[in-house]
Amino acid sequence: MSEVVLALDLPSAPEALSLVQQLPQLRWVKVGPILMTREGPELVRTLVDRGLQVFLDLKWHDIPNTVGGAVAAARQLGVGMATVHVLGGRAMLEAAVTAAGGELALVGVTVLTSHDPAGYAATLGRREVQLAPEVKRLAEIALDAGLSGVVCSAREVSVLRLQFGPDPYLVVPGIRRSSDSLGDQVRVATARDAAESGATHLVVGRPVLQAPDPVAALEEFFKEAGCVKS
Ligand code: C5P
């Protein structure tokens, strides 16, 4: 069973809280840079107080001391999971793990799901990059440093499961039904495919946020992911 995580990429706390209130089956919400920059930690505290697991997705990538401080702050807020960029390097990842103290799961962003191979290669100044081996390479660094898992696309999940076994969290954004528009996402999959490949957390944003009936849309994702609340 995979957890469905609703990305609360909304412009204000009242909108986020009113949506969450309509979705009693929801266990995980993701707070990212949009809402955090607008509303700050108070909203995270409110969500935690409402019994939700909060995935704080600020994708930290900075010097070890700064990232360690950010993780310590997230720990105090009571979030369940947070992201760091694996490309921040081993020392940064280890500082993050130390600051987490086992009280929140840290997952490392490998290659963003909005990247295609050509765009990623251009960013690195390389002629060609195969994304699956690149994700595997970054996942190895993340897990060696003590992270709980990684963020990757559904396309890489099976390879990572095979390589690293059943334990790591594999958090997969870019979840779409066949009728959904991709937006800026490139490496997408259905909730069913991602769940069957071994993803632990499926991150869904716009297909629910922009749906005419977000409650029904989320229910579809829950069903596909095999985690309908009985
Ligand atoms: O709206 P959509 O379903 O594309 O939302 C995906 C969410 O997952 C966004 O909040 C985005 O920031 C996040 N994310 C991502 N790719 C990653 C890591 C996080 O799309 N590699």
Side-chain angles (χ1 to χ4, degrees), residues 14-32:
E15 282 167 86
L17 292 172
S18 115
L19 178 62
V20 161
Q21 200 154 8
Q22 296 171 55
L23 304 168
Q25 73 274 51
L26 201 57
R27 287 155 38 99
W28 277 92
V29 290
K30 186 171 86 70
V31 175

Side-chain angles (χ1 to χ4, degrees), residues 17 21 24 35 144 156 176 181-182 193-194 200 206:
L17 292 172
Q21 200 154 8
L35 212 43
D144 273 357
E156 295 100 34
R176 295 288 185 271
S181 78
L182 301 192
D193 286 348
T200 53
R206 287 162 290 183

Side-chain angles (χ1 to χ4, degrees), residues 7 9 30 57 59 109 111-113 151 173-176 185 203-207:
D9 294 328
K30 186 171 86 70
D57 183 24
K59 299 186 181 66
V109 177
V111 177
L112 294 170
T113 42
V151 185
I175 299 297
R176 295 288 185 271
Q185 298 283 16
V203 179
V204 188
R206 287 162 290 183

Side-chain angles (χ1 to χ4, degrees), residues 4-230:
V4 174
V5 182
L6 180 62
L8 293 175
D9 294 328
L10 290 166
S12 73
E15 282 167 86
L17 292 172
S18 115
L19 178 62
V20 161
Q21 200 154 8
Q22 296 171 55
L23 304 168
Q25 73 274 51
L26 201 57
R27 287 155 38 99
W28 277 92
V29 290
K30 186 171 86 70
V31 175
I34 299 176
L35 212 43
M36 195 66 181
T37 305
R38 285 192 185 272
E39 300 289 354
E42 199 46 49
L43 174 65
V44 175
R45 284 190 202 100
T46 304
L47 292 165
V48 171
D49 287 348
R50 289 191 182 187
L52 286 156
Q53 294 272 7
V54 176
F55 174 15
L56 188 61
D57 183 24
L58 300 179
K59 299 186 181 66
W60 292 304
H61 183 171
D62 208 319
I63 59 171
N65 183 61
T66 301
V67 170
V71 172
R75 178 178 171 180
Q76 280 184 338
L77 280 178
V79 312
M81 185 154 67
T83 40
V84 290
H85 266 284
V86 182
L87 285 172
R90 174 107 194 181
M92 186 206 80
L93 298 173
E94 286 177 353
V97 169
T98 303
E103 285 185 19
L104 70 147
L106 287 174
V107 287
V109 177
T110 55
V111 177
L112 294 170
T113 42
S114 52
H115 277 306
D116 61 14
Y120 189 71
T123 306
L124 295 186
R126 280 153 59 180
R127 198 173 294 161
E128 206 180 311
V129 179
Q130 301 286 333
L131 293 189
E134 176 71 357
V135 169
K136 194 162 106 180
R137 185 185 75 78
L138 292 168
E140 190 155 14
I141 294 170
L143 298 173
D144 273 357
L147 266 63
S148 302
V150 294
V151 185
C152 60
S153 91
R155 295 186 193 175
E156 295 100 34
V157 168
S158 330
V159 162
L160 298 185
R161 270 282 163 253
L162 203 62
Q163 179 79 18
F164 301 108
D167 293 338
Y169 285 171
L170 298 179
V171 178
V172 174
I175 299 297
R176 295 288 185 271
R177 294 162 297 188
S178 50
S179 56
D180 289 322
S181 78
L182 301 192
D184 49 2
Q185 298 283 16
V186 174
R187 290 161 30 250
V188 299
T190 64
R192 175 166 292 112
D193 286 348
E196 284 177 359
S197 315
T200 53
H201 298 76
L202 310 180
V203 179
V204 188
R206 287 162 290 183
V208 170
L209 304 178
Q210 296 175 356
D213 182 349
V215 180
L218 186 70
E219 198 59 35
E220 281 184 48
F221 285 104
F222 267 83
K223 275 194 192 133
E224 270 204 51
C227 54
V228 181
K229 208 178 165 193
S230 52

